[in-house]
Structures are given as structure tokens and as C-alpha cells.
Amino acid sequence: MTTHSFASSLDALSGWRRALVSRLDEVSRFLGDHDLSDAAVQGQLDSLREQLGQQKLIVAFVAEFSRGKSELINAIFFADAGRRILPATPGRTTMCPVELAWDADEPPSLSLLPIDTRLSGQSLGELRNFAKAWKTVKLDVGNPEKLAESLREVMRTSWVSKDQAHELGFWNDETPDENPPLDDMGRVEVPAWRHALINYPHPLLKQGLVVLDTPGLNAIGAEPELTLSLLPTAHATVFILGADIGVSKSDLAIWRDHLSGDALSRFVVLNKIDAMIDPLATPEQVAEQIERQRTETARTLGVPAERVYPLSARQALAARVEGKAEALAQSRLPALETALGGELMPQRRTLLEHVVIDAAQQIEMHVARRLNDNRRQLAEQTLELRGLRGKSGAKLQMMLQRVDAETAEFEACTTKLQAMRVVHSRMLKDAMVGLSSDRLREEVSAMQQQMSASLLNLGAKKAFVALCQRLRALLGAGQKNSLEIRHMLEASFNRLNAEFGFGLVLNPGPDLDRFAAELDLIEKSYVQYLGLTQALRLSQPKFMEQFRRMLMSKLRVVFENASAELEMWNKSASAQVDAQLRERRRNFRRRRESLERIQAAASELETRLEELDAQDQRLQGFHGRCIELIDALRQQARTGTRGEVSSTITIDLPLDDSPTPLPLRLVKA
Ligand SMILES: Nc1nc2c(ncn2[C@@H]2O[C@H](COP(=O)(O)OP(=O)(O)OP(=O)(O)O)[C@@H](O)[C@H]2O)c(=O)[nH]1
Ligand SMILES: [Mg+2]
């Protein structure tokens, strides 16, 4: 009943992913059953399955305090509970970042990370998997009252001395205007928790949606990890303003500091339009006023007016709880939901589709190569045996000697292969050193030294930009090295093919440019952060340490992926050589065996020729079936996104309670 467009399009996306995974499993099983796989192909299949399976979709709600973030989340996601689930009250409510997600391996629970973990300098990422650091409360999901009661814990604060507040990062003598007020005893109110995780079995969260509710970002002492790590990874950010207030100075500061980049999907909400209802004005006049506010907001933020969604989260929540469709329409929330669903899902989908189609092509190439090579060898054997028809025993003996001689001649390739392997592994090792986490750590430490050496960290930005420059150079060197490896292998493969009859073909080389692009993105989001005020905060060793760790964990992902890609490509080249070597040896053995059998009984010749023919037929059959399976995978990946000519597409939803297919807009990347 509470089905709405965001939910349905997320459903459609998961259905599509599930279908893809089962197609993928078919391909994988077939390759395994028919000895057509190798380590590299297997690795590729596994990573594809992982990408399809674990895909999270992160939507962050960001705003100055009291704009209605939590209320909006309640209206979009939790109306089914029949009441307000996340606390949303006047004044400061959400004191720490709250992440809503579902992990089926854990019971429904609220996990809270105490604020004093900040003192250890450990990043949230590091503490995430360290259960002992968290206080966990089980949630009674069947009982909305108790659930809401438990979740009120995220509002908890405590009073500490000014010194303690300073230690925790909530007090800074350099920026007195931003410090929180003191009470009569000179104490400061600080949040009790640093981060909260709500594990909740909501249907949308079960499908991989992660919702991030944030406390007002401008508050001094805002968790740096939020702005540096969590927000930049969100697939969409919903920025909320109060329709009654418009864009205040602090709203604008948040927008400028954290959201004005164009990297991700941004949605601007003009909340609380119900507050604009004026008994002395006609509904048309109110609507006009809202429209004016919308245009004004769009202009101030520099976004198109269509990106600004005027709505009332409070009305929407009430309408959903009471099941009033008309009131829900009046709240204007559905427009935002349609936009969220219509834009995000196709984006995620297009991305995954490309990944799947690329992989399908590579697997297809691998299978074709492998089968063709086997068939070529069968054809050679057939030719050889046909030549034996009506030939004498002496001729057979000669053939046997020839096979032995050819085998010996072929085995000479092992020295060459050995030499190639030595050169290859040395070159690869050299290439990997530049992309290693040790190297990365050294570079980051160098940056840190430069930062601490600069007065009050005012050179922080410069040191960071220089670091990114050096890292880009490392990726560039990796790309160059990999090209050199490719040239070396190409030359060796050509020689081996010509001299020893191998059928070695290189795959297109790894592309490290895309990691450089990721690096650019990290640079962009962090540079924003290294402005003057943050630089001042970085002069506190704790924060510097936190910043370093956080940066390190981001960069490590990029470098690890880059080196994994490089390694994978090289592994696949080596695997190909190994597979062909094995196959050739097996082939020599078979040739010898069949000659021996024919020597023992003349009738064997025809039987053996028939066998070879049957074998060839079988291989052809495998190939046909494989192409079918890979095609099915590709088709599945393309379902719904075919016909790129039009920008509107429809998807049949697996939802039984949505009678008509929902139109989803395909967003051009
Ligand atoms: N009139 C009206 N009030 C709203 C609406 N949405 C939220 N509010 C009220 O505004 C107050 C703040 O809402 P919250 O959802 O707590 O705001 P928040 O952005 O999460 O605030 P913090 O958690 O403090 O950062 C609450 O009293 C809400 O009931 C709305 O659409 N209309
Ligand atoms: Mg809140």
C-alpha cells in the first residue's frame, strides 16, 4: 500500500541484479564443467558477482540543523511503522551521523560509537569492524513505540569541561564565534556519540539502500569523516532548506563547502511548505509564493529550478501514516521520490551494465581462443592420421619417431618460456612497487610532514595538491610500465607462436587512467575541505592523524584496485601460456597413444579418426552453448536499457501491486 516510485524502482534494480547473477552463475558453471575456465577468468567472474551482489546505494540527507532531514527520512522510508521513528523535534535533534542499513547477518540493532573514540585518532572506517568499541542495543522492530524510544538515544548529549570539549574537537579558541554556549558551571554540551548505525530490516534497506542522516554540518566539531569519507561516497545527496527561511547564510556555507561540486546527484528540497499557508491569502497566492521561493533558491544555489523540490515532510509523513492519498499528493513528496528513483537507479544500472558487457566480451574472447586452439590441434591430428590410411607398419614407426622428435623440439620452448617468465615477473614486480601501499604510505607521510612544517597548517592545501600530483605520476608510471610489459609479451608471444606453434593472443592492456580519474575526484572533495578553518583544526595533532588515516584509506582503495587490475591482466597472460603449454603436451601424448593403438590393431585408425571428429563436434557444441549463455548474460544486462535513442524507457516491475510499468528516465552520464 505504501508502495511508491522510489521503492519500486529500487525493487526493479534488485530484480535485475538478481537475474544477472543467476545468468552469470550459468556461464560460470558451464565454463567450470567443461574445463574452459582458468584462474583469470574465474577471478573476473567472482569480482563481477561481488559487484552485482554487494552493491549499495547510499543516499545522504544534509542540511543545517532543524531543516527537517530526519522528518523527511521518516516520511520516505518509515511511514509503514505508523508513526515517527527517527526523532525529529524542534532545535538540535540528531547529534551524530546516523546510518540506516540492513545487514542480514546481524540482528536489528542500534550501534553507537562513543564520542571519546575521537581521542584515539582512529578513523570511523577503522573502528567500523571493531565491535568492542561500539555500544549495541537490540531493536524491537515489531513495536513502533519501543523502536522510536530506543532510537531517541541518538539525541543524547553530555556536559564536559571546556578542556575536554577542546580535546574532543568541540571547542576552538581561534574561532570563538563558532564555539557552543557555556552553562553556568562553564561546561559545554557535546554529543554522547560519534556515529550511530541502525540495522533495520526495511524492504528498501534489504535491497542495499543505505540512508545517511546527518547532524547540522556547520556545527563546530562535526565529524570530519562525514565530510571527507561518507558524503563523497554517497550516490545522491538531498540538501534540505526551510521554505519559510529560504537560503540562510549558514545554509549557503554548507552548500558551498560540501555540496557545490558536480560529481554526484544533488537534490534540493524546500521543506515545510505547509508553514507557508496563510489564512489571509488564497491558495493561488500561496502557490505563487512557493514558486517564487523555489526560483530564488535555485538562483542562489546555481541549480536549475527543476532540481528544487518544494514539499512538506511533516504533511507527507502524516498522510502516509493515515493512508490519505490526496494529502500525500498535496505534500508534494511524490515528485521528489520519483526523481530520486528515476535518476539514481538507471545511473547505477548503466554503470553495472557496462561492467557486465565488458566482462562478457572478455570471457567470450577467452573461450573462443581456447576452443579454437584445441580445435586447431584436433585438425592437425586428423590430418596426420588420414595420411596413414593404407600405409605400412614401417611408415607408422616413422610417424612415431616424428612425434617423438616434434615433442623434443617443442620441449625446447620451456627454456624460452622460463626466460620470458623471469623477465615478466621482474617487470611486473617493478611495476607493482610504485603502486604498493608502502609507497603510498611514504607519500602520504611526506605530505603530513610538509603540512606540519607549514605555519598553522596554512600550507595544508598546497601539500595535499602536491601529494595528488605525485600520486598521479605514480599511476602514470604504472601505466607506462604496463605498456612496456605488454610490448615485451607481445614480442615473446609472436616468437613463441612462430617457433613453437602456440596460439597466444594478448588481451587489451589494463587501463589505469580510470584510477587517475578516481584520484581526481578524491582530490576535488578534499581540497574543498582544506580551506582555512579546517586547516586550523588540522593543527591539532589528533585531527591531523585522523585526516591522514582517512585519506590513506581512500587512497588505498584506488591504489589497491589499480594494482589488482594490473596483476589480473598479467595473470591472465601467464595463465594463457600455462594452459596452452599443458594442452600442447597433452596433445603430443594423445598423438603418440593413438599411433601406438593403431600399430597394435589396424582397425584402430578409423575408430580414432571418428573419435577426433566427435571430439571436434563436441568442442563446437561447447562453443555454441557458451556463446548462447554469454549472450543471455548480455541480453539480461541490456534489458530495459535498450533503445537508447529515446530518453524514456519503461521497465516491467516485478512488483505485483504496481499494475502499470513505471517510466524511468535514463540519465545521460
Ligand atoms: N511545519 C513543518 N515542520 C516540519 C516539517 N518537517 C520537519 N518539521 C519540523 O522541524 C523540526 C526539525 O525537524 P528534524 O527532522 O528534526 O530536523 P533535522 O534537519 O533532522 O534537524 P537536526 O537533526 O537537529 O539536524 C521538527 O520539529 C519537525 O517536526 C515540515 O514539513 N513542516
Ligand atoms: Mg535530525
Side-chain angles (χ1 to χ4, degrees):
M1 163 62 208
T2 46
T3 300
H4 46 70
S5 41
F6 185 71
S8 350
S9 39
L10 190 59
D11 258 354
L13 183 72
S14 325
W16 176 79
R17 267 163 41 193
R18 272 195 305 277
L20 263 179
V21 168
S22 76
R23 292 273 179 235
L24 195 66
D25 285 343
E26 276 172 14
V27 173
S28 170
R29 216 173 312 123
F30 187 83
L31 295 183
D33 287 351
H34 298 92
D35 190 27
L36 291 172
S37 190
D38 66 15
V41 170
Q42 203 50 52
Q44 195 163 34
L45 288 167
D46 290 346
S47 107
L48 204 55
R49 191 177 297 110
E50 205 179 297
Q51 284 186 61
L52 287 171
Q54 44 126 275
Q55 235 222 349
K56 294 273 181 215
L57 183 70
I58 307 172
V59 181
F61 290 75
V62 177
E64 186 48 298
F65 77 98
S66 237
R67 296 295 185 260
K69 296 175 292 285
S70 304
E71 190 78 335
L72 187 56
I73 293 175
N74 281 324
I76 300 181
F77 302 108
F78 292 108
D80 313 47
R83 58 158 292 154
R84 183 173 282 127
I85 292 296
L86 287 181
T89 57
R92 257 179 217 291
T93 309
T94 313
M95 296 304 284
C96 67
V98 180
E99 243 179 284
L100 294 134
W102 174 243
D103 173 358
D105 295 336
E106 301 289 331
S109 55
L110 167 67
S111 301
L112 299 152
L113 187 65
I115 193 76
D116 56 18
T117 54
R118 278 188 176 191
L119 300 176
S120 71
Q122 275 168 300
S123 74
L124 181 60
E126 288 169 306
L127 289 168
R128 217 170 252 274
N129 295 317
F130 184 57
K132 274 205 192 123
W134 298 74
K135 178 180 177 235
T136 300
V137 191
K138 286 229 170 65
L139 292 177
D140 186 351
V141 292
N143 183 335
E145 269 64 44
K146 276 203 181 141
L147 177 65
E149 172 63 37
S150 306
L151 294 185
R152 262 199 284 282
E153 189 62 30
V154 300
M155 299 169 63
R156 185 186 288 277
T157 56
S158 59
W159 291 89
V160 300
S161 71
K162 215 165 79 177
D163 283 347
Q164 278 171 306
H166 175 76
E167 284 264 297
L168 290 168
F170 291 96
W171 189 272
N172 191 343
D173 289 328
E174 320 253 358
T175 50
D177 296 348
E178 291 178 22
N179 287 337
L182 299 173
D183 73 352
D184 300 344
M185 295 156 71
R187 296 179 311 176
V188 182
E189 189 179 21
V190 300
W193 311 111
R194 179 174 169 192
H195 198 86
L197 298 171
I198 299 178
N199 196 38
Y200 185 79
H202 186 278
L204 292 175
L205 304 181
K206 279 183 178 174
Q207 293 174 9
L209 178 74
V210 175
V211 177
L212 185 62
D213 187 10
T214 61
L217 269 188
N218 246 17
I220 185 167
E223 177 69 34
E225 193 131 3
L226 182 63
T227 45
L228 289 179
S229 189
L230 295 172
L231 291 184
T233 49
H235 299 103
T237 315
V238 182
F239 179 61
I240 303 154
L241 296 161
D244 47 347
I245 305 173
V247 188
S248 76
K249 196 167 154 237
S250 60
D251 287 325
L252 193 59
I254 292 182
W255 174 262
R256 290 224 173 106
D257 289 349
H258 305 288
L259 301 171
S260 56
D262 52 2
L264 304 157
S265 296
R266 309 265 184 250
F267 297 83
V268 178
V269 165
L270 210 48
N271 190 27
K272 310 194 187 183
I273 53 168
D274 58 304
M276 294 181 71
I277 292 173
D278 175 355
L280 299 181
T282 64
E284 289 74 27
Q285 283 169 326
V286 173
E288 224 171 84
Q289 218 171 353
I290 293 175
E291 215 36 49
R292 247 202 322 277
Q293 192 66 291
R294 179 188 203 177
T295 330
E296 185 71 8
T297 302
R299 206 176 45 77
T300 314
L301 300 182
V303 297
E306 311 86 76
R307 297 299 278 181
V308 181
Y309 297 85
L311 55 86
S312 164
R314 178 184 278 180
Q315 262 185 351
L317 176 62
R320 281 225 162 103
V321 165
E322 292 160 14
K324 289 185 182 153
E326 200 181 323
L328 180 63
Q330 266 171 15
S331 78
R332 298 177 66 174
L333 177 63
L336 172 71
E337 290 176 337
T338 308
L340 269 173
E343 189 163 314
L344 280 181
M345 310 312 158
Q347 246 175 28
R348 303 304 299 150
R349 191 191 169 101
T350 311
L351 208 102
L352 276 179
E353 181 187 329
H354 286 312
V355 174
V356 171
I357 287 179
D358 281 356
Q361 192 191 348
Q362 286 192 24
I363 295 170
E364 204 166 61
M365 268 165 51
H366 162 87
V367 170
R369 198 164 52 217
R370 187 129 172 190
L371 286 172
N372 283 340
D373 198 54
N374 290 357
R375 288 190 62 205
R376 185 169 55 91
Q377 295 183 41
L378 284 181
E380 281 169 10
Q381 267 196 64
T382 306
L383 209 65
E384 185 178 69
L385 291 188
R386 282 215 187 106
L388 280 178
R389 279 184 173 138
K391 292 281 156 49
S392 64
K395 173 82 184 179
L396 257 174
Q397 192 54 43
M398 230 169 69
M399 295 283 305
L400 265 171
Q401 279 164 4
R402 203 169 89 192
V403 171
D404 288 345
E406 274 180 31
T407 310
E409 208 173 291
F410 175 74
E411 286 301 323
C413 79
T414 49
T415 357
K416 301 235 159 125
L417 285 180
Q418 192 54 31
M420 179 181 80
R421 281 201 190 104
V422 171
V423 176
H424 186 195
S425 71
R426 182 173 46 74
M427 288 176 89
L428 180 59
K429 205 170 135 211
D430 289 350
M432 302 286 280
V433 168
L435 301 176
S436 68
S437 18
D438 282 347
R439 182 61 197 269
L440 184 62
R441 206 170 302 116
E442 279 167 27
E443 297 294 352
V444 172
S445 301
M447 172 203 72
Q448 194 180 4
Q449 264 161 20
Q450 267 171 348
M451 280 190 181
S452 350
S454 80
L455 188 66
L456 279 174
N457 280 320
L458 294 181
K461 197 185 249 176
K462 212 170 119 203
F464 174 66
V465 170
L467 168 74
C468 292
Q469 199 64 38
R470 293 198 301 277
L471 297 181
R472 248 189 301 275
L474 283 179
L475 287 174
Q479 182 74 48
K480 190 167 150 279
N481 287 335
S482 117
L483 206 66
E484 277 166 12
I485 296 181
R486 201 190 143 80
H487 287 149
M488 185 281 289
L489 286 178
E490 212 157 31
S492 304
F493 279 15
N494 285 341
R495 262 200 316 276
L496 288 165
N497 289 351
E499 267 184 60
F500 300 101
F502 280 99
L504 298 165
V505 187
L506 277 179
N507 286 337
D511 178 17
L512 300 188
D513 283 353
R514 125 181 116 78
F515 300 103
E518 277 175 37
L519 186 63
D520 289 348
L521 218 69
I522 295 180
E523 175 171 16
K524 219 159 116 188
S525 57
Y526 279 51
V527 152
Q528 246 179 11
Y529 180 79
L530 289 174
L532 198 58
T533 29
Q534 298 297 347
L536 283 174
R537 289 185 59 206
L538 279 173
S539 55
Q540 296 172 7
K542 270 192 321 291
F543 279 96
M544 170 60 102
E545 178 56 17
Q546 225 176 42
F547 174 71
R548 190 192 65 81
R549 284 180 190 232
M550 226 162 3
L551 181 62
M552 191 63 204
S553 70
K554 288 262 132 179
L555 293 173
R556 198 183 287 130
V557 173
V558 176
F559 272 65
E560 273 172 6
N561 286 342
S563 65
E565 178 137 336
L566 187 64
E567 200 174 2
M568 184 61 111
W569 183 83
N570 282 278
K571 208 160 136 187
S572 119
S574 308
Q576 198 191 135
V577 175
D578 291 342
Q580 289 201 14
L581 181 65
R582 212 172 335 114
E583 198 48 48
R584 290 294 301 276
R585 284 183 170 150
R586 197 190 301 168
N587 209 39
F588 279 119
R589 236 182 1 258
R590 285 213 198 102
R591 267 171 77 190
R592 190 162 218 297
E593 279 163 16
S594 60
L595 287 173
E596 279 167 353
R597 266 154 59 195
I598 295 162
Q599 210 174 25
S603 63
E604 276 289 329
L605 177 59
E606 293 309 317
T607 323
R608 185 62 192 139
L609 275 167
E610 274 160 28
E611 266 172 29
L612 286 176
D613 191 45
Q615 220 170 325
D616 189 55
Q617 299 278 337
R618 214 169 38 238
L619 290 187
Q620 279 188 58
F622 285 172
H623 200 175
R625 181 72 187 130
C626 230
I627 290 176
E628 266 171 40
L629 288 173
I630 295 173
D631 259 349
L633 174 69
R634 225 188 318 248
Q635 284 294 324
Q636 184 61 52
R638 288 196 180 121
T639 355
T641 43
R642 247 172 305 148
E644 254 99 336
V645 262
S646 95
S647 61
T648 309
I649 50 157
T650 42
I651 290 181
D652 281 316
L653 293 172
L655 275 184
D656 24 33
D657 52 348
S658 71
T660 42
L662 271 174
L664 289 183
R665 252 177 332 112
L666 184 69
V667 176
K668 295 191 188 72

